[in-house]
Amino acid sequence: MKERDYKKLYEKMTISKDMQERIRQGVQRQKGHSYKWVRVAAAVVVLCLIVGGSVSATIRSGNLFSFLSADYNISKQANHLVEQSKKFPVVDNEYLTCTMKEALCDENTVYCMAEVQVKNPDKYFLLDAKYGLNDYVDVLEDKLKIDGMKGKTIAQYLKEIKKKPLRISAYVKSAELEDEYYDGMFMKTDIRYGKGGKAFLYMCAEDENETLHNIDFHLIGWNPRYDLLKIFENKEELVIQNQSEEVKEYNYKIKEEYIGPEKSIKVTGIHIMETELGLYATVETEEPGKESTDSYLNDHCSVNLADSTGKTLKTVMESWWSQTEEVGRKCKTTTRMHYEKTDLSQGLTLVLEGNQGKSYGPYSLVESK
Amino acid sequence: MKTDARMEEFETIYEKYSPLLYRIAFTYLKNQDDVVDLLQDVFIKRLYKAPKFESEEHEKRWMIRVTVNLAKDQLKSFWKKSVIIDERETLQQRECQNWGLNDTEREIFTLVMALPEKQKIVTYLHYFEGYTCKEIAEIMHCKESTVKMRLKKAREILKMEIQE
């Protein structure tokens, strides 16, 4: 293949008039509507808290356990699992110091808390860059939503208080994953602001298959306006031991052999690993008669565990892992999910959700050998 | 900015960037309908959420980056993956007809589309858009050596006799 052949091919790849018109119409429909973006909203809320001057809006210490228990149903007895070590990494650059304070490994999930201190809080105003891996929005142009300041952008506000924005993002991930191929799956981050340029970073990473031990901690400073530019990037290694000692394992089965009149999906195995912090569920299903994974995937039902009333259990990470393979004249799917701690003695059900919006169940589960 | 002025701005940036962004989006998604949805998002972000650009080149790189990021986000979706797997052959044949590709071009198209996404995008940016490896590394947020490696692998797969 010659370079000219390659270029000729791409020259022919042109957008049709019909498609052009559809793009135009889509953009036109946005007229008069405010554009919604979760990331933007989060940044504005943070600023509302800080600008509002409410001392209670900021926090003095960012204990990892109290942060997690605010969002998840975690037993206070599990507090002892949090590991505090002087061996944890410290980032020290010209803008800030960032010290990993606490970490916790619960089987396939690692939770970490790091404390950030801006070196010159009179000069820099800390902003978070949520989803830093795919960061491409100029938050400085977002409007403040505070009485008396409506209509002002963050950039204008910072100009008034004579501070420069310092925009950071941080995450932890399995050291086994190559940096250049990592796309941000299976991670979660959050930030809480303290006073005087202090902030607490909370990070969570998960591996669908293995217990996490070796973690990479990444801290990135972004140019607040020009998202292609990083002003610093630090990577530190973190080694942590699995702290979950009391792990219980259960097998469940569904009473009905086949589920749903429209979908002949057979649930062949439900395995639950209960740790001190959560539930790791693996659900295996089969669809007899479906010989191709392609056709199977197009008509797929996702599985979810639910309580006795059919209310889906709360997941720790929004993502779930699923793999389908063709075995003989059927397709087998393995799905793994991570739920918050739930009292299993209250009963469990299984719910299936089809890709057309239909749901099936709840189907009662009973413990099996 | 008033709505009419915004739409005028849209027409300008649309004329300027739609061919480039279309090819990039198609490189990832291989599906006209998904490409149209994605480009709507890209242009809406450009109109309502863009940063202040230092230069036209900065704007161009921003548009490329946003397109790549949104395409990658779409590909993360379980359902999007399944549609692409299932309908790949049909969709590609339809596009070949739309673009009036001859047999040789169809063969090249199939080879190019079969490249891994990471290799496809650097190949396109380098050989069609004329970006250097260093510039691509800046756009894609990766090391220059990574770009070179991806180009090398792509060339090996395509067996291209391309002189840099």
Side-chain angles (χ1 to χ4, degrees):
Chain A
M1 187 193 300
K2 306 277 187 194
E3 185 178 353
R4 63 172 178 272
D5 297 326
Y6 177 84
K7 284 186 174 175
K8 212 172 166 183
L9 167 69
Y10 267 98
E11 276 164 6
K12 286 196 173 181
M13 285 173 66
T14 51
I15 192 161
S16 68
K17 286 188 177 174
D18 172 45
M19 295 294 169
Q20 282 183 28
E21 197 47 43
R22 279 177 55 190
I23 294 171
R24 275 200 182 86
Q25 285 171 1
V27 177
Q28 282 269 6
R29 278 197 293 273
Q30 286 294 320
K31 284 198 301 184
H33 296 282
S34 59
Y35 190 62
K36 290 176 185 173
W37 206 346
V38 174
R39 195 181 323 169
V40 170
V44 172
V45 168
V46 165
L47 274 170
C48 288
L49 294 176
I50 297 169
V51 177
S54 164
V55 176
S56 62
T58 61
I59 53 173
R60 291 187 179 85
S61 73
N63 177 279
L64 177 61
F65 189 79
S66 60
F67 171 76
L68 291 173
S69 54
D71 272 348
Y72 301 113
N73 177 24
I74 296 173
S75 160
K76 283 182 182 172
Q77 291 170 345
N79 198 11
H80 71 279
L81 299 175
V82 176
E83 195 176 336
Q84 291 167 322
S85 167
K86 289 178 182 174
K87 291 177 185 172
F88 285 169
V90 176
V91 171
D92 190 345
N93 59 38
E94 64 175 294
Y95 299 97
L96 51 79
T97 56
C98 179
T99 311
M100 187 69 79
K101 290 279 189 180
E102 295 177 335
L104 163 59
C105 176
D106 176 52
E107 293 297 333
N108 298 20
T109 310
V110 162
Y111 306 89
C112 298
M113 188 276 285
E115 187 178 304
V116 177
Q117 178 61 58
V118 177
K119 284 188 175 172
N120 190 347
D122 293 331
K123 182 178 178 185
Y124 290 109
F125 187 89
L126 204 60
L127 284 175
D128 65 306
K130 283 192 179 280
Y131 316 113
L133 288 174
N134 291 313
D135 191 36
Y136 42 77
V137 64
D138 181 1
V139 293
L140 299 186
E141 291 307 310
D142 291 332
K143 297 276 190 336
L144 292 169
K145 292 178 180 173
I146 305 165
D147 288 342
M149 299 184 77
K150 276 180 183 164
K152 280 186 184 172
T153 63
I154 294 172
Q156 288 166 337
Y157 171 72
L158 293 181
K159 197 175 176 184
E160 275 180 23
I161 61 171
K162 294 176 182 168
K163 286 188 184 185
K164 290 184 175 180
L166 180 58
R167 197 167 175 219
I168 60 165
S169 64
Y171 64 95
V172 287
K173 70 167 186 63
S174 167
E176 303 297 319
L177 299 169
E178 286 184 58
D179 291 347
E180 62 182 276
Y181 294 116
Y182 186 61
D183 56 7
M185 293 287 273
F186 303 112
M187 75 162 195
K188 211 170 183 179
T189 63
D190 207 338
I191 190 167
R192 296 284 184 273
Y193 291 87
K195 292 176 77 178
K198 184 177 278 190
F200 301 96
L201 301 171
Y202 302 90
M203 296 154 283
C204 175
E206 190 162 286
D207 189 291
E208 70 269 25
N209 293 318
E210 296 174 8
T211 304
L212 283 170
H213 291 295
N214 299 314
I215 306 297
D216 286 341
F217 166 48
H218 292 250
L219 181 69
I220 304 164
W222 297 88
N223 184 311
R225 281 211 188 276
Y226 308 117
D227 48 271
L228 300 178
L229 301 174
K230 294 173 184 173
I231 55 173
F232 64 80
E233 182 169 11
N234 295 88
K235 175 183 165 184
E236 299 291 335
E237 288 178 11
L238 168 68
V239 179
I240 182 170
Q241 299 303 313
N242 180 17
Q243 300 293 321
S244 258
E245 293 163 353
E246 293 181 25
V247 177
K248 295 171 188 168
E249 302 199 34
Y250 306 92
N251 287 314
Y252 280 85
K253 66 176 184 181
I254 193 162
K255 284 179 182 174
E256 295 85 352
E257 191 179 358
Y258 284 91
I259 301 173
E262 297 169 54
K263 302 216 163 272
S264 297
I265 295 177
K266 186 177 183 182
V267 177
T268 52
I270 301 169
H271 179 260
I272 293 176
M273 182 167 66
E274 183 184 22
T275 69
E276 289 177 81
L277 286 182
L279 301 175
Y280 293 88
T282 304
V283 179
E284 291 177 345
T285 52
E286 276 182 14
E287 197 169 7
K290 290 271 184 178
E291 294 175 43
S292 158
T293 49
D294 282 357
S295 62
Y296 173 75
L297 289 168
N298 276 328
D299 192 24
H300 185 73
C301 266
S302 58
V303 291
N304 251 317
L305 289 185
D307 66 14
S308 57
T309 65
K311 187 183 171 192
T312 307
L313 301 186
K314 187 178 173 185
T315 53
V316 173
M317 301 286 274
E318 279 77 10
S319 54
W320 51 273
W321 180 91
S322 178
Q323 180 178 292
T324 303
E325 57 179 333
E326 298 166 20
V327 180
R329 293 178 65 81
K330 61 192 172 193
C331 289
K332 290 179 74 172
T333 299
T334 305
T335 306
R336 296 201 178 102
M337 294 148 293
H338 180 189
Y339 297 106
E340 71 170 16
K341 187 91 168 175
T342 304
D343 184 1
L344 295 174
S345 67
Q346 298 297 311
L348 276 179
T349 58
L350 190 78
V351 174
L352 287 96
E353 288 175 14
N355 59 342
Q356 302 300 326
K358 279 190 176 180
S359 63
Y360 306 90
Y363 301 97
S364 296
L365 302 179
V366 289
E367 207 175 334
S368 67
K369 288 181 183 175
Chain B
M1 189 184 291
K2 285 185 176 176
T3 306
D4 290 344
R6 186 87 74 186
M7 289 318 292
E8 273 179 35
E9 188 188 4
F10 164 70
E11 291 297 334
T12 309
I13 57 170
Y14 181 85
E15 290 301 319
K16 201 188 292 182
Y17 296 115
S18 62
L20 162 75
L21 303 183
Y22 171 77
R23 291 180 189 120
I24 291 174
F26 196 91
T27 294
Y28 278 91
L29 301 176
K30 310 178 190 84
N31 176 335
Q32 287 275 20
D33 290 331
D34 288 341
V35 169
V36 168
D37 290 344
L38 183 136
L39 291 188
Q40 282 177 4
D41 275 355
V42 172
F43 284 111
I44 288 165
K45 279 177 175 52
R46 168 60 187 82
L47 288 175
Y48 295 94
K49 279 288 148 212
K52 285 177 183 168
F53 297 112
E54 285 174 324
S55 61
E56 199 168 298
E57 181 56 30
H58 179 218
E59 181 184 42
K60 184 180 174 184
R61 289 190 190 189
W62 186 91
M63 300 286 281
I64 292 173
R65 182 70 205 174
V66 170
T67 307
V68 169
N69 283 336
L70 288 178
K72 281 162 75 176
D73 284 350
Q74 276 217 34
L75 287 174
K76 281 179 196 166
S77 154
F78 181 83
W79 296 114
K80 205 59 70 183
K81 277 181 191 166
S82 69
V83 169
I84 286 170
I85 291 167
D86 190 49
E87 298 179 3
R88 181 180 292 154
E89 292 298 318
T90 318
L91 290 168
Q92 286 188 1
Q93 282 170 12
R94 200 175 69 193
E95 299 320 326
C96 288
Q97 282 176 356
N98 289 344
W99 295 325
L101 302 186
N102 61 35
D103 289 346
T104 312
E105 286 163 345
R106 279 181 193 219
E107 199 179 317
I108 296 172
F109 175 75
T110 308
L111 279 172
V112 170
M113 286 299 131
L115 282 175
E117 267 72 31
K118 290 183 170 86
Q119 292 172 20
K120 233 180 325 194
I121 189 69
V122 295
T123 309
Y124 171 75
L125 291 175
H126 184 66
Y127 288 111
F128 193 83
E129 293 297 331
Y131 280 112
T132 64
C133 292
K134 188 171 181 292
E135 288 166 337
I136 297 170
E138 286 168 6
I139 293 169
M140 302 300 291
H141 291 181
C142 62
K143 292 175 190 166
E144 193 178 341
S145 58
T146 307
V147 176
K148 285 180 178 171
M149 183 58 71
R150 287 176 188 170
L151 277 175
K152 183 174 174 287
K153 283 181 180 171
R155 276 199 300 265
E156 283 169 3
I157 294 171
L158 297 172
K159 294 180 182 167
M160 291 169 90
E161 299 162 21
I162 291 175
Q163 299 296 313
E164 286 190 57

